[in-house]
Amino acid sequence: MKSLTVPLIKELDSIELSEVAAVMELKARRESIDVLNWATDYPYKPVVVFDIARGANELYLHYFVHGLSIKAVADDDGEYVHPDSCVEFFMRKQGEMKYINFEFNCIGTCLAARHESREVSELLTREEFKSIRRYPSLQREAFAEKKGIYSWELTVAIPFKIMGLDGANLPAKIYGNFYKCADETANPHYVTWSPIDLPRPNYHCPEFFGEIYF
């Protein structure tokens, strides 16, 4: 099980989201998404790193991806984004197995839901989706898969309130994992931050989440 500590960067709350990546480049915690749990069937591994930090009321994530092909068909929050070029963050609170998934394609479209299990879940409300701030390096326009080598970035700010947390009184730790996938592309892949010991790709497995300290 991996672990990380999320630094508090107060100035993130006073700048535009478009400027957050530059600050996080210097002050955030940087991690790689580089574990191939299912290398036999899915050997492709793009370069994926993320920076993580927190402000007073939001968790900030900045993803950088470099690899083969790019795709963004989903353009409305609540649609499935895992068939596209997609990055994900799943979390649960300590002492619970209920969890929340936050999934984003490369233009910032979000799928997020509160889960009792993989099969039993409830999407965020439209207002909650709107409260998740996003700044993609690409334009917010859907497109079919493009072949070649591409790089893209995505900055997101997720309110602690949506995660069931109080930014002014955070717990010592939560549990979570970070993922990269692109199910329906020429180079499908399933890459994780913390390892998953299951026979087939499955990100909905809170028992394998890593530790995230505040």
Side-chain angles (χ1 to χ4, degrees):
M1 178 189 295
K2 282 189 176 178
S3 66
L4 62 80
T5 299
V6 182
L8 172 63
I9 305 177
K10 294 181 179 179
E11 64 190 281
L12 295 179
D13 295 325
S14 61
I15 60 177
E16 296 294 326
L17 195 60
S18 60
E19 302 172 332
V20 162
V23 174
M24 293 180 73
E25 176 75 18
L26 296 173
K27 299 183 178 181
R29 172 70 176 257
R30 175 162 294 175
E31 295 283 332
S32 294
I33 300 176
D34 58 5
V35 179
L36 284 177
N37 303 282
W38 307 283
T40 300
D41 295 325
Y42 300 98
Y44 179 61
K45 183 173 69 173
V47 175
V48 189
V49 298
F50 68 91
D51 296 333
I52 186 169
R54 61 185 173 97
N57 299 300
E58 295 169 301
L59 181 72
Y60 290 85
L61 295 168
H62 175 251
Y63 293 91
F64 172 83
V65 181
H66 176 82
L68 292 171
S69 73
I70 193 170
K71 177 184 175 183
V73 172
D75 61 359
D76 188 32
D77 287 347
E79 294 181 357
Y80 287 123
V81 293
H82 64 269
D84 293 343
S85 301
C86 178
V87 290
E88 306 182 0
F89 165 56
F90 284 38
M91 63 77 59
R92 67 176 176 90
K93 294 191 286 186
Q94 191 171 7
E96 295 185 3
M97 291 306 284
K98 297 177 182 178
Y99 62 95
I100 306 177
N101 61 319
F102 298 94
E103 307 178 10
F104 305 90
N105 69 8
C106 56
I107 62 171
T109 306
C110 179
L111 172 70
R114 297 180 175 91
H115 285 259
E116 298 279 348
S117 65
R118 183 169 188 165
E119 294 76 21
V120 180
S121 64
E122 181 179 2
L123 283 176
L124 299 190
T125 66
R126 183 60 59 178
E127 290 72 25
E128 287 175 321
F129 274 118
K130 288 181 180 179
S131 73
I132 301 173
R133 299 188 292 142
R134 290 153 260 175
Y135 182 77
S137 61
L138 305 174
Q139 293 184 348
R140 293 290 297 270
E141 296 181 2
F143 56 86
E145 184 174 5
K146 301 176 183 180
K147 304 291 179 63
I149 299 178
Y150 292 89
S151 297
W152 55 274
E153 300 177 46
L154 177 68
T155 304
V156 301
I158 305 172
F160 284 122
K161 182 178 179 181
I162 290 180
M163 293 185 275
L165 303 175
D166 178 1
N169 188 28
L170 291 171
K173 70 175 177 179
I174 60 173
Y175 294 88
N177 210 343
F178 303 84
Y179 308 126
K180 172 71 182 75
C181 63
D183 293 31
E184 297 178 9
T185 63
N187 300 278
H189 51 272
Y190 301 91
V191 192
T192 71
W193 169 67
S194 193
I196 297 173
D197 185 16
L198 293 173
R200 293 182 299 277
N202 180 9
Y203 290 168
H204 293 260
C205 47
E207 65 271 27
F208 292 108
F209 287 2
E211 297 173 322
I212 300 173
Y213 291 89
F214 293 115

